[in-house]
Amino acid sequence: RMGGCESCASSRRKDVGSFLREAVAQGDLSDLRQAIEKADGCGLDSSTARRRFAELAKQERQSPESAEDMLRWGMNTQDGVVLCSVIEEVSAYAPDHELLPSARARLREHHQEVKHRLRKLVRNRDLRSLGVTVDRARRMGMPPVALEEAERLLQREVSSKFLPPSPGGVAAAIEAPLAPHPDARAADAKSADAIGTEGGAARDRRPRPGALLPDIGVRRVGPSSCACCL
């Protein structure tokens, strides 16, 4: 029975995947939206289809019906970045659309969720996740004042670890390799000189041929003699 259920689920994912590809190729907004919803329900990656949907919706954005579809879809994606982008687009050509207040209220809920996550990451000092979340919060349209605490922590940690500036944002800076401090390089050079000096002194202390060995008190044996003949 278990094998049969897994087989059915696998077959369904294949069918949904085919439907998703066809919808992307045909470019019908209604079919594309339906395919994205089915793909999300099956756990399939729908990022390509979402981008295609956004492109098509942008082409038809002058239509009030399309604006309503975009806003409803944006609110149902559970993705604050996508919703913020949709709100900006619709606001540019239909600033008085009746669904915009609802969309903005939903976006504020996303902002609150991100704020809670940021506080938790700051407490745990999880710098890697914190950098990713801050960059995402910016793209979600969060006000800078809401990110001040997290950014101060990141900048302080980045500076203390001598991380180089990164064009990829805070998250990329966190992933960048550490740059050696100038004092550390000087200390390494001094250590190397000290090791070289000690090595030279050790070579000078080696017994010369014919000298008495310190531990056994006999002369070093030459090439034509042996210890018993001395």
Side-chain angles (χ1 to χ4, degrees):
R1 291 180 180 177
M2 182 63 70
C5 292
E6 292 177 354
S7 176
C8 291
S10 176
S11 177
R12 175 173 170 75
R13 283 193 294 270
K14 289 181 180 178
D15 292 340
V16 172
S18 298
F19 180 40
L20 187 66
R21 288 190 293 272
E22 291 176 1
V24 170
Q26 293 174 1
D28 182 81
L29 283 173
S30 178
D31 289 344
L32 193 54
R33 181 171 58 251
Q34 184 180 0
I36 290 172
E37 292 174 354
K38 289 184 176 181
D40 291 344
C42 293
L44 296 177
D45 180 18
S46 60
S47 58
T48 301
R50 288 174 184 273
R51 287 193 295 270
R52 177 61 173 160
F53 184 93
E55 292 171 359
L56 292 173
K58 185 176 182 179
Q59 294 173 4
E60 299 182 4
R61 66 179 180 267
Q62 299 301 325
S63 168
E65 293 79 7
S66 294
E68 181 175 349
D69 288 342
M70 287 178 62
L71 288 170
R72 292 190 183 280
W73 175 74
M75 288 186 283
N76 291 330
T77 58
Q78 305 299 321
D79 189 327
V81 176
V82 172
L83 180 56
C84 181
S85 177
V86 169
I87 290 174
E88 289 177 351
E89 283 194 23
V90 175
S91 298
Y93 64 86
D96 298 325
H97 196 283
E98 59 182 5
L99 282 182
L100 275 174
S102 299
R104 292 190 177 107
R106 181 69 187 99
L107 183 60
R108 286 193 293 270
E109 293 177 7
H110 284 296
H111 289 179
Q112 289 298 324
E113 294 171 3
V114 172
K115 285 181 182 179
H116 292 316
R117 176 167 173 76
L118 285 172
R119 292 193 190 103
K120 182 179 179 181
L121 294 174
V122 168
R123 286 197 304 269
N124 296 336
R125 302 182 74 82
D126 186 348
L127 299 182
R128 183 171 301 175
S129 300
L130 187 60
V132 173
T133 305
V134 167
D135 286 342
R136 181 173 177 79
R138 289 198 191 100
R139 292 186 287 120
M140 200 182 295
M142 287 188 66
V145 66
L147 307 176
E148 286 181 354
E149 182 181 6
E151 289 182 330
R152 280 198 301 268
L153 174 61
L154 287 171
Q155 293 298 333
R156 184 165 60 249
E157 294 295 330
V158 166
S159 299
S160 65
K161 293 182 179 181
F162 307 105
L163 289 175
S166 174
V170 176
I174 294 297
E175 297 290 344
L178 296 181
H181 192 275
D183 294 342
R185 290 195 295 265
D188 291 341
K190 291 181 180 179
S191 298
D193 293 340
I195 292 173
T197 303
E198 292 177 359
R203 287 192 296 271
D204 293 340
R205 290 195 296 270
R206 288 183 298 178
R208 295 184 298 276
L212 290 177
L213 297 177
D215 294 333
I216 60 176
V218 299
R219 293 183 179 276
R220 183 175 297 276
V221 178
S224 60
S225 60
C226 63
C228 61
C229 297
L230 295 176

